[in-house]
Coordinates of all heavy atoms in Angstrom, one line a residue:
Y277 N -28.7 6.4 0.0 CA -30.0 7.0 -0.2 C -31.0 6.7 0.9 O -31.8 7.5 1.4 CB -30.6 6.6 -1.6 CG -30.1 7.4 -2.7 CD1 -29.6 6.8 -3.9 CD2 -30.2 8.8 -2.8 CE1 -29.2 7.5 -5.0 CE2 -29.8 9.5 -3.8 CZ -29.3 8.9 -4.9 OH -28.8 9.6 -6.0
S278 N -31.0 5.4 1.3 CA -31.9 4.9 2.4 C -31.6 5.6 3.7 O -32.6 6.0 4.4 CB -31.8 3.4 2.5 OG -32.5 3.0 3.6
E279 N -30.4 5.8 4.0 CA -30.0 6.5 5.3 C -30.4 7.9 5.3 O -30.9 8.5 6.3 CB -28.5 6.3 5.6 CG -28.1 4.9 5.9 CD -28.8 4.4 7.2 OE1 -28.7 5.1 8.2 OE2 -29.3 3.3 7.1
V280 N -30.2 8.6 4.2 CA -30.6 10.1 4.1 C -32.1 10.2 4.2 O -32.7 11.0 4.9 CB -30.0 10.7 2.9 CG1 -30.5 12.2 2.8 CG2 -28.5 10.7 2.9
N281 N -32.8 9.3 3.5 CA -34.3 9.3 3.5 C -34.8 9.0 4.9 O -35.8 9.6 5.4 CB -34.8 8.2 2.5 CG -34.7 8.6 1.1 OD1 -34.5 9.8 0.8 ND2 -34.8 7.6 0.2
K282 N -34.1 8.1 5.6 CA -34.5 7.8 7.0 C -34.3 9.0 7.9 O -35.2 9.3 8.7 CB -33.6 6.6 7.5 CG -33.9 6.2 8.9 CD -33.0 5.1 9.4 CE -33.1 4.8 10.8 NZ -32.1 3.7 11.3
Y283 N -33.2 9.7 7.7 CA -33.0 10.9 8.5 C -34.1 12.0 8.2 O -34.6 12.6 9.1 CB -31.6 11.5 8.3 CG -31.4 12.8 8.9 CD1 -31.1 12.9 10.3 CD2 -31.5 14.0 8.2 CE1 -30.9 14.1 10.9 CE2 -31.3 15.2 8.9 CZ -31.0 15.3 10.2 OH -30.9 16.5 10.8
V284 N -34.4 12.2 7.0 CA -35.4 13.1 6.6 C -36.8 12.7 7.2 O -37.5 13.6 7.7 CB -35.5 13.2 5.0 CG1 -36.7 14.1 4.6 CG2 -34.2 13.9 4.5
R285 N -37.1 11.5 7.1 CA -38.4 11.0 7.6 C -38.5 11.0 9.1 O -39.6 11.4 9.6 CB -38.6 9.6 7.1 CG -40.0 9.0 7.4 CD -40.2 7.6 6.7 NE -39.1 6.7 7.1 CZ -38.1 6.3 6.3 NH1 -38.0 6.8 5.1 NH2 -37.3 5.4 6.7
T286 N -37.5 10.7 9.8 CA -37.6 10.5 11.3 C -37.1 11.7 12.0 O -37.4 11.8 13.2 CB -36.8 9.3 11.7 OG1 -35.4 9.5 11.4 CG2 -37.3 8.0 11.1
N287 N -36.4 12.7 11.4 CA -35.9 13.8 12.1 C -36.2 15.1 11.5 O -36.9 16.0 12.1 CB -34.3 13.6 12.2 CG -33.7 14.6 13.2 OD1 -33.9 15.8 13.1 ND2 -32.9 14.1 14.1
L288 N -35.8 15.3 10.2 CA -35.9 16.6 9.6 C -37.4 17.0 9.3 O -37.8 18.1 9.6 CB -35.1 16.6 8.3 CG -35.1 18.0 7.5 CD1 -34.4 19.0 8.4 CD2 -34.3 17.8 6.2
L289 N -38.2 16.0 8.8 CA -39.6 16.3 8.5 C -40.4 16.8 9.8 O -41.2 17.7 9.7 CB -40.3 15.1 7.9 CG -40.2 15.0 6.4 CD1 -41.0 13.7 5.9 CD2 -40.7 16.2 5.7
I290 N -40.1 16.1 10.9 CA -40.8 16.5 12.2 C -40.4 17.9 12.5 O -41.3 18.7 12.9 CB -40.3 15.5 13.3 CG1 -40.8 14.1 12.9 CG2 -40.9 15.9 14.6 CD1 -40.3 13.0 13.9
K291 N -39.2 18.3 12.4 CA -38.8 19.7 12.7 C -39.4 20.7 11.7 O -39.8 21.8 12.1 CB -37.2 19.8 12.7 CG -36.5 19.0 13.8 CD -35.0 19.2 13.7 CE -34.4 18.4 14.8 NZ -32.9 18.5 14.8
L292 N -39.4 20.3 10.5 CA -40.0 21.2 9.5 C -41.5 21.5 9.7 O -42.0 22.6 9.6 CB -39.8 20.7 8.1 CG -38.4 20.7 7.5 CD1 -38.3 19.9 6.2 CD2 -38.0 22.2 7.3
Q293 N -42.2 20.4 10.1 CA -43.6 20.5 10.3 C -44.0 21.2 11.6 O -45.1 21.7 11.7 CB -44.3 19.1 10.2 CG -44.2 18.5 8.8 CD -44.6 17.0 8.9 OE1 -44.8 16.4 9.9 NE2 -44.7 16.4 7.7
K294 N -43.1 21.2 12.5 CA -43.3 21.9 13.8 C -43.1 23.4 13.7 O -43.5 24.2 14.6 CB -42.5 21.3 14.9 CG -43.0 19.9 15.4 CD -42.1 19.4 16.5 CE -42.7 18.1 17.0 NZ -41.8 17.5 18.1
L295 N -42.3 23.9 12.7 CA -42.0 25.3 12.6 C -43.3 26.1 12.3 O -44.1 25.7 11.5 CB -41.0 25.5 11.5 CG -39.6 25.0 11.8 CD1 -38.7 25.3 10.6 CD2 -39.0 25.7 13.0
N296 N -43.4 27.3 12.9 CA -44.5 28.2 12.6 C -44.0 29.6 12.7 O -42.8 29.8 12.8 CB -45.6 28.0 13.6 CG -45.1 28.0 15.1 OD1 -44.3 28.9 15.5 ND2 -45.5 27.0 15.9
T297 N -44.8 30.5 12.6 CA -44.4 31.9 12.5 C -43.8 32.4 13.8 O -43.0 33.4 13.8 CB -45.6 32.8 12.2 OG1 -46.7 32.6 13.2 CG2 -46.2 32.5 10.8
S298 N -44.1 31.7 14.9 CA -43.5 32.2 16.2 C -42.1 31.6 16.5 O -41.5 31.9 17.5 CB -44.4 31.8 17.3 OG -44.6 30.3 17.4
A299 N -41.6 30.7 15.6 CA -40.3 30.1 15.8 C -39.2 31.2 15.7 O -39.3 32.1 14.9 CB -40.0 29.0 14.8
S300 N -38.1 31.1 16.4 CA -37.0 32.0 16.4 C -36.2 31.9 15.1 O -36.2 30.8 14.5 CB -36.1 31.8 17.6 OG -35.5 30.5 17.5
Q301 N -35.6 33.0 14.7 CA -34.8 32.9 13.5 C -33.6 31.9 13.6 O -33.3 31.3 12.6 CB -34.3 34.3 13.2 CG -35.3 35.3 12.7 CD -36.0 34.9 11.4 OE1 -35.3 34.4 10.5 NE2 -37.3 35.1 11.4
Q302 N -33.1 31.8 14.8 CA -32.0 30.9 14.9 C -32.4 29.4 14.7 O -31.7 28.6 14.1 CB -31.4 31.0 16.4 CG -30.2 30.1 16.6 CD -29.6 30.3 18.0 OE1 -30.2 31.1 18.8 NE2 -28.5 29.6 18.3
K303 N -33.6 29.1 15.2 CA -34.1 27.7 15.0 C -34.5 27.5 13.6 O -34.2 26.4 13.0 CB -35.4 27.6 15.9 CG -35.9 26.1 15.9 CD -37.0 26.0 16.9 CE -37.5 24.6 17.0 NZ -38.7 24.4 18.0
I304 N -35.0 28.5 12.9 CA -35.4 28.4 11.5 C -34.1 28.2 10.7 O -34.0 27.4 9.8 CB -36.2 29.6 11.0 CG1 -37.5 29.6 11.7 CG2 -36.3 29.5 9.5 CD1 -38.4 30.8 11.3
R305 N -33.0 29.0 11.0 CA -31.8 28.9 10.3 C -31.1 27.5 10.5 O -30.5 26.9 9.6 CB -30.8 30.0 10.7 CG -29.6 30.2 9.8 CD -28.7 31.3 10.3 NE -29.5 32.6 10.4 CZ -29.7 33.1 11.6 NH1 -29.3 32.6 12.7 NH2 -30.4 34.3 11.7
R306 N -31.2 26.9 11.7 CA -30.7 25.6 12.0 C -31.3 24.6 11.1 O -30.7 23.7 10.5 CB -30.8 25.3 13.5 CG -30.0 24.1 13.9 CD -30.2 23.8 15.3 NE -29.8 24.9 16.2 CZ -30.6 25.5 17.0 NH1 -31.9 25.2 17.1 NH2 -30.2 26.5 17.7
V307 N -32.7 24.6 11.1 CA -33.4 23.6 10.3 C -33.1 23.8 8.8 O -33.0 22.9 8.0 CB -34.9 23.7 10.6 CG1 -35.7 22.8 9.7 CG2 -35.2 23.4 12.0
Q308 N -33.0 25.1 8.4 CA -32.6 25.4 7.0 C -31.3 24.8 6.6 O -31.1 24.2 5.5 CB -32.6 26.9 6.8 CG -32.2 27.4 5.4 CD -33.3 27.3 4.4 OE1 -34.4 27.2 4.7 NE2 -32.9 27.4 3.1
N309 N -30.3 24.9 7.5 CA -29.0 24.3 7.2 C -29.1 22.8 7.1 O -28.4 22.2 6.3 CB -28.0 24.8 8.3 CG -27.7 26.2 8.3 OD1 -27.8 26.9 7.3 ND2 -27.3 26.8 9.4
R310 N -29.9 22.2 7.9 CA -30.0 20.7 7.9 C -30.7 20.3 6.6 O -30.3 19.3 5.9 CB -30.8 20.3 9.1 CG -30.1 20.1 10.4 CD -29.0 19.0 10.2 NE -28.2 18.9 11.4 CZ -27.2 18.0 11.5 NH1 -27.0 17.2 10.5 NH2 -26.5 18.0 12.6
L311 N -31.7 21.1 6.2 CA -32.3 20.8 4.9 C -31.4 20.9 3.7 O -31.3 20.1 2.8 CB -33.5 21.7 4.7 CG -34.3 21.6 3.4 CD1 -34.9 20.2 3.2 CD2 -35.4 22.6 3.3
E312 N -30.6 22.0 3.7 CA -29.6 22.2 2.6 C -28.6 21.1 2.7 O -28.1 20.7 1.6 CB -29.0 23.6 2.8 CG -30.0 24.7 2.5 CD -29.4 26.1 2.7 OE1 -28.2 26.1 3.2 OE2 -30.0 27.1 2.3
K313 N -28.2 20.6 3.9 CA -27.2 19.6 4.0 C -27.7 18.3 3.3 O -27.0 17.6 2.6 CB -26.9 19.3 5.4 CG -25.9 18.2 5.7 CD -24.6 18.4 5.1 CE -23.6 17.3 5.5 NZ -22.3 17.4 4.9
C314 N -29.0 18.0 3.6 CA -29.6 16.7 3.0 C -29.7 16.8 1.5 O -29.4 15.9 0.8 CB -31.0 16.5 3.6 SG -31.0 16.0 5.4
I315 N -30.1 18.0 1.0 CA -30.2 18.2 -0.4 C -28.8 18.1 -1.1 O -28.6 17.5 -2.2 CB -30.9 19.5 -0.8 CG1 -32.3 19.5 -0.3 CG2 -30.8 19.8 -2.2 CD1 -33.1 20.8 -0.5

């Protein structure tokens, strides 16, 4: 649990918060896959 939380906090959250409407669909899909992998 600690390692997954660490990855979410130090990697995934930063990518999620940087996404905006101008991000490409490929980048959004890549982050979406990472999020689903963590869940």
Side-chain angles (χ1 to χ4, degrees):
Y277 276 127
S278 175
E279 290 298 310
V280 181
N281 288 342
K282 177 183 175 183
Y283 173 79
V284 170
R285 182 174 59 255
T286 61
N287 192 308
L288 185 60
L289 272 183
I290 297 174
K291 293 180 179 179
L292 287 171
Q293 292 170 351
K294 286 182 178 179
L295 288 179
N296 51 47
T297 55
S298 61
S300 64
Q301 290 297 321
Q302 183 179 3
K303 189 175 182 179
I304 293 175
R305 194 179 304 111
R306 189 182 303 117
V307 177
Q308 174 82 16
N309 292 337
R310 280 294 177 179
L311 176 60
E312 292 177 351
K313 175 65 176 177
C314 290
I315 294 176

